Amino acid sequence: MHRKSPAQYRQFDDPPILEEYASIPIDTMIGRNTDRILSDFGGSDDVVMREIRYEEADAAAAAILYIDGLSNAAAVNHYIFDVLDRSLNGNSQPQQEDAADVNRKAALAKELLFGIGSIKTVSEMASLYQNLLSGDAIIFLDGSDQAYCADIRQWEGRAVTESTNQTSVRGPRESFTETLRTSTALIRRKIKDPRLWLETLSIGRLTKTDVALMYINGLAKPSVVEEARSRLRAIDIDSVLDSGYIEELIEDGKYSLFPTVYNTELPDAVAAQLLEGKVAIVVDGTPNVLIVPTQLIAFFQSTEDYYQRAYYASALRLLRFCSVFISLLLPSLYIAITTFHRDMLPASLLFSLAAQREGVPFPAFVEALVMEMTFEILREAGLRMPRAIGQAVSVVGTLVIGQAAVEAGIVSAAMVIVVSVTAISTFTLPAYAMSIPIRVLRFAFMAVAASFGLFGIIMGLFVLLLHLCAQRSFGEAYMEPLAPYRSTEMEDALIRLPRWMKSKKPDTSIGAGRGRIRKRW
Amino acid sequence: MPSLIAVLAFAAGAFWLEAPGLIRRKLTKELVVFILFLLAGTAFYAALVLEVRLPNLFQIIKLVYRIDA
Amino acid sequence: MKEYTNAKMSVRQFTILIILASIGDSILILPTITAASAKQDAWLSMVLALLLGMAAGGLFAAIANRLRGESLISAAQQRLGIWAGSTVSILFIIEFFMCGLTLMSEMGQFMTTQLMPETPVNAILLFFLSVIIIAYRYGVEAFARMSELLFPVFMSLLAVLVVFLMPQAEIENLQPIAAGGLGPIMRGAFPPFAAGFMEMVVLLMLVPHVAAKTKLTRPIISGFAIGGFLLLVIVALCVLVLGPNLMETKYYPTFVLAQKISIGNFLERLEAILAFLWVITVFFKMLLVYYSLTSGIAQLLRLKESRMLTIPLGMLLLVFTIAGTPNIAVYNEIIVRDYPWFDLSFCIALPALFLVALHLTRKRKVKGG
């Protein structure tokens, strides 16, 4: 073998400009092809090349190239190497391209196809690299200006397990994995209809991440699909390591705290939203799937609402809405009432609050600010801590520090209660993405409450509502179905009506597409 | 005095917020109108802060409409 | 930034805006003013005002239907020619500005005397105005949707107010009915008619943004009807629960009403409910007025954009509000005695003339063309 040593391949200092590679054809001489490829890779050790050489000439009759770790090496041996060996049997020197040669190649291709099942041909380097780096084995034949790509992809991936972030009591527990094909298959298993369409794009100049667009043709609005497609195509970025990258680049609410793209790890959530006419964006390398367009209400809904009994689910949903208000406004209300509107409290409560605040040196706003900041720090720390210590520190943090602070006279006991209740109610939201704006806005409301009391809180709510009402997500209003009011959609928004109570005819505004598919409950 | 500076700072802030957009889009008439109104607003606000007596518009209404004034 | 000619609100949103804005600041100051003339017949005055209001609504609807999708001021510019059109427009803009001043004054006075006495009134006014400006800059669609969202909240709070006060209502407070004759009742009807209905001429500036396939008569009339009815309920409640004397003497009787709610000796002094109620109504009325003012000036001067006017106009409003209300008593006197006449001339007489002019120019066009 006259392969160069890896060090010799690394002598080039300027990296190849892969954008030009689309126009570079495959050389008929295998040696030149493999040289170029190996030098582009800098002699990386996981690029495996196996050659079948002519007995007499110093050239290769065939070569197989694959990346160890991305391809099934056993398949290379059994299916490719054996087949090549047999077909090239007897050729001891380079042949001229002639009729027999063409027939030989056709027969070879057919045999490979039987063994492997998926063979593509490529004639230029860019697609060759695309396929090689996705795990295909590239087969070169001497004298041919085309190469074969055999799909023998196999790599170690995480198995389909339970989701750690989005747990459910009743309902399917599988969650997506980092492999695109596995994730799309999980969705296909939920919706066995040929009208579930899938388009793949490759995004990211260096990562060339596979991104799949899935939607149900006939339910999804064509304009929304087209909008999603064009926004994805317009992305010009070096790397896509998580769906978060894509979310930032396609979302409507770039300056908004609130998410305008929904993301989930659960296939049943995705399937449910696809059935409503939404579009799913699955990104290779991450289990988080994006869904567009989305509404504010979606972040308050959990798939489990649809599996549990309707009355229970409705009550839980209402509870969630209350929790959001508490989480957002409780500290501000406390500050407003204790600072500006003391006469609103019943006398006994007033006395005990006043007594508590007796020794506290700071005004209510500073107290609240300090406690909230402490809590945010504890929360973030708890996320990153090794599991062994994590539990202990959070318990220590909340109970002991809070208690100590009260006894030291830095904060009042009521404040600790307020902060704890606030923090716990934040966790009732099923979508983590919504808890972030709430946590941030809580501080804004506290500031407003400290300056203008209850009036300030009301005005702050107005500004918040205005912002939400003005927000759009891929052409649909963010606050639908509350405003503009859509009566048929409302059955599902604030509460969950039992299925037998729902109206049969769906409202045609969201996702009615060409309208040939009707939703049946 | 400090309130006067605050008023001027506020007017400057308003100018800085709106003017670049107008200039960029070459809306000259709008820019002129904006500057006029901003000057008027700043002038009156400054007058208020400097405790210059401003006309009470409600008294004007009373003058016009009160039959037995 | 978008020029809002594309932004559309639904007919329902339009109606809701009218309802909320017609209640406007009346919910706070009106009962006192009406009771000053009509005493225990204040509710009858309100009925009369409601009827007059429907008539005004008819006038506005007639104009709205003739506007053919343009706003009041742009139509004036277009159809009446440069000189007449601009004069009419300037007069309307004066009306909008003054109306804005009254709203801000009343809001400031209420906050300073009742809710937040320690806070300087300038700060409160500035804060309120900032939110109004923010609302304007978010656009018609946004605040129309917000009104749709807040309307159920408003109605439920009002229902809570009424339900919890009914036990304290005494029917004797209504008597003797019409003791002073029709005179006091009619005098008492004039201010509510002005504040609640006449000032709603601002709705004519929203016409281009309503996505309606049919005439606008129904939303306008029903909006006035519902708004007026709610005001009637409130005034009646004031008479029933507080009695005419208390109504007359207190500046903000509805606030006193809210303070009187007591549920089982535990939940008391729920002024927060009323605070939320009137903030909603005053906010939307001020927003409509401000919208009319800003868009009106932009349309008068034929500007392509109105956004940059927001802050300077805000400054002017703020300054003249403070300059105009050095003293609550003087302000109230003018508001009761003189301002309704101002409203009458600018909100009824002027639009009526405008309607006639519209009719004539159309006839002339039909004849000549």
Side-chain angles (χ1 to χ4, degrees), chain C residues 325-344:
Chain C
T325 39
N327 183 323
I328 296 186
V330 169
Y331 170 81
N332 276 341
E333 200 216 346
I334 300 181
I335 275 286
V336 176
R337 283 187 67 175
D338 309 300
Y339 196 76
W341 296 103
F342 174 76
D343 269 346
L344 190 66

PDB file of all heavy atoms in Angstrom, chain C residues 325-344:
ATOM      1  N   THR C 325     -55.022  72.696  36.141  1.00  0.00           N
ATOM      2  CA  THR C 325     -55.688  72.284  37.369  1.00  0.00           C
ATOM      3  C   THR C 325     -54.879  72.665  38.589  1.00  0.00           C
ATOM      4  O   THR C 325     -54.352  71.815  39.288  1.00  0.00           O
ATOM      5  CB  THR C 325     -55.914  70.770  37.402  1.00  0.00           C
ATOM      6  OG1 THR C 325     -54.760  70.130  36.830  1.00  0.00           O
ATOM      7  CG2 THR C 325     -57.130  70.373  36.642  1.00  0.00           C
ATOM      8  N   PRO C 326     -54.796  73.912  38.876  1.00  0.00           N
ATOM      9  CA  PRO C 326     -54.119  74.286  40.125  1.00  0.00           C
ATOM     10  C   PRO C 326     -54.967  73.973  41.347  1.00  0.00           C
ATOM     11  O   PRO C 326     -54.479  73.826  42.437  1.00  0.00           O
ATOM     12  CB  PRO C 326     -53.926  75.802  39.965  1.00  0.00           C
ATOM     13  CG  PRO C 326     -55.003  76.218  39.046  1.00  0.00           C
ATOM     14  CD  PRO C 326     -55.303  75.070  38.147  1.00  0.00           C
ATOM     15  N   ASN C 327     -56.238  73.811  41.129  1.00  0.00           N
ATOM     16  CA  ASN C 327     -57.177  73.810  42.235  1.00  0.00           C
ATOM     17  C   ASN C 327     -58.370  72.933  41.856  1.00  0.00           C
ATOM     18  O   ASN C 327     -58.984  73.126  40.820  1.00  0.00           O
ATOM     19  CB  ASN C 327     -57.611  75.263  42.433  1.00  0.00           C
ATOM     20  CG  ASN C 327     -58.515  75.398  43.592  1.00  0.00           C
ATOM     21  OD1 ASN C 327     -59.341  74.545  43.868  1.00  0.00           O
ATOM     22  ND2 ASN C 327     -58.371  76.511  44.279  1.00  0.00           N
ATOM     23  N   ILE C 328     -58.652  71.974  42.694  1.00  0.00           N
ATOM     24  CA  ILE C 328     -59.719  71.037  42.320  1.00  0.00           C
ATOM     25  C   ILE C 328     -61.066  71.724  42.253  1.00  0.00           C
ATOM     26  O   ILE C 328     -61.870  71.472  41.349  1.00  0.00           O
ATOM     27  CB  ILE C 328     -59.779  69.875  43.324  1.00  0.00           C
ATOM     28  CG1 ILE C 328     -58.492  69.072  43.278  1.00  0.00           C
ATOM     29  CG2 ILE C 328     -60.951  68.970  43.019  1.00  0.00           C
ATOM     30  CD1 ILE C 328     -58.518  67.830  44.126  1.00  0.00           C
ATOM     31  N   ALA C 329     -61.313  72.575  43.164  1.00  0.00           N
ATOM     32  CA  ALA C 329     -62.654  73.186  43.242  1.00  0.00           C
ATOM     33  C   ALA C 329     -62.940  74.030  42.002  1.00  0.00           C
ATOM     34  O   ALA C 329     -64.004  73.932  41.389  1.00  0.00           O
ATOM     35  CB  ALA C 329     -62.758  74.043  44.502  1.00  0.00           C
ATOM     36  N   VAL C 330     -61.924  74.830  41.607  1.00  0.00           N
ATOM     37  CA  VAL C 330     -62.133  75.672  40.434  1.00  0.00           C
ATOM     38  C   VAL C 330     -62.351  74.813  39.205  1.00  0.00           C
ATOM     39  O   VAL C 330     -63.240  75.050  38.381  1.00  0.00           O
ATOM     40  CB  VAL C 330     -60.907  76.606  40.239  1.00  0.00           C
ATOM     41  CG1 VAL C 330     -60.978  77.297  38.903  1.00  0.00           C
ATOM     42  CG2 VAL C 330     -60.833  77.597  41.373  1.00  0.00           C
ATOM     43  N   TYR C 331     -61.510  73.773  39.104  1.00  0.00           N
ATOM     44  CA  TYR C 331     -61.631  72.886  37.954  1.00  0.00           C
ATOM     45  C   TYR C 331     -63.024  72.285  37.899  1.00  0.00           C
ATOM     46  O   TYR C 331     -63.670  72.266  36.855  1.00  0.00           O
ATOM     47  CB  TYR C 331     -60.571  71.787  38.048  1.00  0.00           C
ATOM     48  CG  TYR C 331     -60.760  70.701  37.044  1.00  0.00           C
ATOM     49  CD1 TYR C 331     -60.331  70.859  35.735  1.00  0.00           C
ATOM     50  CD2 TYR C 331     -61.409  69.514  37.385  1.00  0.00           C
ATOM     51  CE1 TYR C 331     -60.516  69.868  34.798  1.00  0.00           C
ATOM     52  CE2 TYR C 331     -61.599  68.531  36.444  1.00  0.00           C
ATOM     53  CZ  TYR C 331     -61.152  68.702  35.158  1.00  0.00           C
ATOM     54  OH  TYR C 331     -61.354  67.726  34.238  1.00  0.00           O
ATOM     55  N   ASN C 332     -63.496  71.794  39.026  1.00  0.00           N
ATOM     56  CA  ASN C 332     -64.804  71.151  39.027  1.00  0.00           C
ATOM     57  C   ASN C 332     -65.902  72.102  38.626  1.00  0.00           C
ATOM     58  O   ASN C 332     -66.845  71.738  37.935  1.00  0.00           O
ATOM     59  CB  ASN C 332     -65.105  70.548  40.405  1.00  0.00           C
ATOM     60  CG  ASN C 332     -64.476  69.174  40.542  1.00  0.00           C
ATOM     61  OD1 ASN C 332     -64.141  68.555  39.548  1.00  0.00           O
ATOM     62  ND2 ASN C 332     -64.327  68.714  41.761  1.00  0.00           N
ATOM     63  N   GLU C 333     -65.747  73.344  39.057  1.00  0.00           N
ATOM     64  CA  GLU C 333     -66.786  74.308  38.712  1.00  0.00           C
ATOM     65  C   GLU C 333     -66.853  74.493  37.200  1.00  0.00           C
ATOM     66  O   GLU C 333     -67.933  74.470  36.612  1.00  0.00           O
ATOM     67  CB  GLU C 333     -66.465  75.637  39.406  1.00  0.00           C
ATOM     68  CG  GLU C 333     -67.646  76.543  39.520  1.00  0.00           C
ATOM     69  CD  GLU C 333     -67.234  77.995  39.351  1.00  0.00           C
ATOM     70  OE1 GLU C 333     -66.027  78.275  39.415  1.00  0.00           O
ATOM     71  OE2 GLU C 333     -68.125  78.828  39.130  1.00  0.00           O
ATOM     72  N   ILE C 334     -65.693  74.631  36.593  1.00  0.00           N
ATOM     73  CA  ILE C 334     -65.683  74.828  35.139  1.00  0.00           C
ATOM     74  C   ILE C 334     -66.217  73.601  34.432  1.00  0.00           C
ATOM     75  O   ILE C 334     -66.981  73.696  33.464  1.00  0.00           O
ATOM     76  CB  ILE C 334     -64.262  75.165  34.655  1.00  0.00           C
ATOM     77  CG1 ILE C 334     -63.784  76.444  35.318  1.00  0.00           C
ATOM     78  CG2 ILE C 334     -64.225  75.271  33.151  1.00  0.00           C
ATOM     79  CD1 ILE C 334     -62.418  76.875  34.886  1.00  0.00           C
ATOM     80  N   ILE C 335     -65.827  72.446  34.919  1.00  0.00           N
ATOM     81  CA  ILE C 335     -66.247  71.202  34.277  1.00  0.00           C
ATOM     82  C   ILE C 335     -67.764  71.084  34.303  1.00  0.00           C
ATOM     83  O   ILE C 335     -68.385  70.630  33.354  1.00  0.00           O
ATOM     84  CB  ILE C 335     -65.608  70.000  34.994  1.00  0.00           C
ATOM     85  CG1 ILE C 335     -64.225  69.753  34.452  1.00  0.00           C
ATOM     86  CG2 ILE C 335     -66.428  68.752  34.818  1.00  0.00           C
ATOM     87  CD1 ILE C 335     -64.211  69.137  33.089  1.00  0.00           C
ATOM     88  N   VAL C 336     -68.361  71.501  35.394  1.00  0.00           N
ATOM     89  CA  VAL C 336     -69.805  71.317  35.504  1.00  0.00           C
ATOM     90  C   VAL C 336     -70.564  72.385  34.739  1.00  0.00           C
ATOM     91  O   VAL C 336     -71.554  72.109  34.057  1.00  0.00           O
ATOM     92  CB  VAL C 336     -70.225  71.333  36.988  1.00  0.00           C
ATOM     93  CG1 VAL C 336     -71.727  71.247  37.095  1.00  0.00           C
ATOM     94  CG2 VAL C 336     -69.572  70.184  37.723  1.00  0.00           C
ATOM     95  N   ARG C 337     -70.077  73.625  34.826  1.00  0.00           N
ATOM     96  CA  ARG C 337     -70.885  74.704  34.262  1.00  0.00           C
ATOM     97  C   ARG C 337     -70.573  74.996  32.808  1.00  0.00           C
ATOM     98  O   ARG C 337     -71.469  75.233  32.012  1.00  0.00           O
ATOM     99  CB  ARG C 337     -70.672  75.977  35.082  1.00  0.00           C
ATOM    100  CG  ARG C 337     -71.418  75.942  36.384  1.00  0.00           C
ATOM    101  CD  ARG C 337     -71.322  77.269  37.074  1.00  0.00           C
ATOM    102  NE  ARG C 337     -72.048  78.308  36.333  1.00  0.00           N
ATOM    103  CZ  ARG C 337     -72.213  79.542  36.768  1.00  0.00           C
ATOM    104  NH1 ARG C 337     -71.665  79.897  37.901  1.00  0.00           N
ATOM    105  NH2 ARG C 337     -72.864  80.420  36.051  1.00  0.00           N
ATOM    106  N   ASP C 338     -69.317  75.006  32.462  1.00  0.00           N
ATOM    107  CA  ASP C 338     -68.976  75.526  31.137  1.00  0.00           C
ATOM    108  C   ASP C 338     -68.581  74.447  30.141  1.00  0.00           C
ATOM    109  O   ASP C 338     -68.864  74.550  28.958  1.00  0.00           O
ATOM    110  CB  ASP C 338     -67.808  76.515  31.256  1.00  0.00           C
ATOM    111  CG  ASP C 338     -68.086  77.537  32.312  1.00  0.00           C
ATOM    112  OD1 ASP C 338     -69.092  78.249  32.160  1.00  0.00           O
ATOM    113  OD2 ASP C 338     -67.320  77.607  33.287  1.00  0.00           O
ATOM    114  N   TYR C 339     -67.896  73.436  30.638  1.00  0.00           N
ATOM    115  CA  TYR C 339     -67.345  72.469  29.705  1.00  0.00           C
ATOM    116  C   TYR C 339     -68.394  71.742  28.874  1.00  0.00           C
ATOM    117  O   TYR C 339     -68.173  71.488  27.694  1.00  0.00           O
ATOM    118  CB  TYR C 339     -66.423  71.479  30.445  1.00  0.00           C
ATOM    119  CG  TYR C 339     -65.529  70.716  29.514  1.00  0.00           C
ATOM    120  CD1 TYR C 339     -64.409  71.309  28.949  1.00  0.00           C
ATOM    121  CD2 TYR C 339     -65.832  69.414  29.158  1.00  0.00           C
ATOM    122  CE1 TYR C 339     -63.605  70.627  28.078  1.00  0.00           C
ATOM    123  CE2 TYR C 339     -65.027  68.717  28.277  1.00  0.00           C
ATOM    124  CZ  TYR C 339     -63.926  69.333  27.739  1.00  0.00           C
ATOM    125  OH  TYR C 339     -63.136  68.649  26.864  1.00  0.00           O
ATOM    126  N   PRO C 340     -69.545  71.382  29.478  1.00  0.00           N
ATOM    127  CA  PRO C 340     -70.545  70.700  28.647  1.00  0.00           C
ATOM    128  C   PRO C 340     -70.969  71.532  27.433  1.00  0.00           C
ATOM    129  O   PRO C 340     -71.268  70.972  26.376  1.00  0.00           O
ATOM    130  CB  PRO C 340     -71.721  70.476  29.598  1.00  0.00           C
ATOM    131  CG  PRO C 340     -71.105  70.421  30.938  1.00  0.00           C
ATOM    132  CD  PRO C 340     -69.963  71.378  30.890  1.00  0.00           C
ATOM    133  N   TRP C 341     -70.961  72.874  27.585  1.00  0.00           N
ATOM    134  CA  TRP C 341     -71.320  73.682  26.424  1.00  0.00           C
ATOM    135  C   TRP C 341     -70.237  73.597  25.355  1.00  0.00           C
ATOM    136  O   TRP C 341     -70.526  73.600  24.147  1.00  0.00           O
ATOM    137  CB  TRP C 341     -71.528  75.145  26.845  1.00  0.00           C
ATOM    138  CG  TRP C 341     -72.678  75.269  27.789  1.00  0.00           C
ATOM    139  CD1 TRP C 341     -72.614  75.436  29.135  1.00  0.00           C
ATOM    140  CD2 TRP C 341     -74.064  75.211  27.453  1.00  0.00           C
ATOM    141  NE1 TRP C 341     -73.862  75.491  29.675  1.00  0.00           N
ATOM    142  CE2 TRP C 341     -74.778  75.361  28.656  1.00  0.00           C
ATOM    143  CE3 TRP C 341     -74.769  75.063  26.257  1.00  0.00           C
ATOM    144  CZ2 TRP C 341     -76.165  75.359  28.693  1.00  0.00           C
ATOM    145  CZ3 TRP C 341     -76.140  75.068  26.297  1.00  0.00           C
ATOM    146  CH2 TRP C 341     -76.831  75.204  27.510  1.00  0.00           C
ATOM    147  N   PHE C 342     -69.019  73.569  25.801  1.00  0.00           N
ATOM    148  CA  PHE C 342     -67.903  73.366  24.874  1.00  0.00           C
ATOM    149  C   PHE C 342     -68.087  72.046  24.127  1.00  0.00           C
ATOM    150  O   PHE C 342     -67.951  71.972  22.904  1.00  0.00           O
ATOM    151  CB  PHE C 342     -66.592  73.393  25.680  1.00  0.00           C
ATOM    152  CG  PHE C 342     -65.377  73.058  24.877  1.00  0.00           C
ATOM    153  CD1 PHE C 342     -64.819  73.972  23.999  1.00  0.00           C
ATOM    154  CD2 PHE C 342     -64.769  71.808  24.996  1.00  0.00           C
ATOM    155  CE1 PHE C 342     -63.684  73.661  23.272  1.00  0.00           C
ATOM    156  CE2 PHE C 342     -63.633  71.500  24.273  1.00  0.00           C
ATOM    157  CZ  PHE C 342     -63.087  72.431  23.404  1.00  0.00           C
ATOM    158  N   ASP C 343     -68.424  71.023  24.899  1.00  0.00           N
ATOM    159  CA  ASP C 343     -68.682  69.732  24.278  1.00  0.00           C
ATOM    160  C   ASP C 343     -69.818  69.828  23.272  1.00  0.00           C
ATOM    161  O   ASP C 343     -69.762  69.282  22.177  1.00  0.00           O
ATOM    162  CB  ASP C 343     -69.044  68.688  25.348  1.00  0.00           C
ATOM    163  CG  ASP C 343     -67.838  67.945  25.855  1.00  0.00           C
ATOM    164  OD1 ASP C 343     -66.786  68.047  25.213  1.00  0.00           O
ATOM    165  OD2 ASP C 343     -67.957  67.267  26.878  1.00  0.00           O
ATOM    166  N   LEU C 344     -70.863  70.530  23.673  1.00  0.00           N
ATOM    167  CA  LEU C 344     -72.011  70.614  22.794  1.00  0.00           C
ATOM    168  C   LEU C 344     -71.627  71.243  21.463  1.00  0.00           C
ATOM    169  O   LEU C 344     -71.999  70.758  20.392  1.00  0.00           O
ATOM    170  CB  LEU C 344     -73.124  71.439  23.458  1.00  0.00           C
ATOM    171  CG  LEU C 344     -74.464  71.408  22.739  1.00  0.00           C
ATOM    172  CD1 LEU C 344     -75.044  70.013  22.804  1.00  0.00           C
ATOM    173  CD2 LEU C 344     -75.425  72.400  23.381  1.00  0.00           C
TER     174      LEU C 344
END
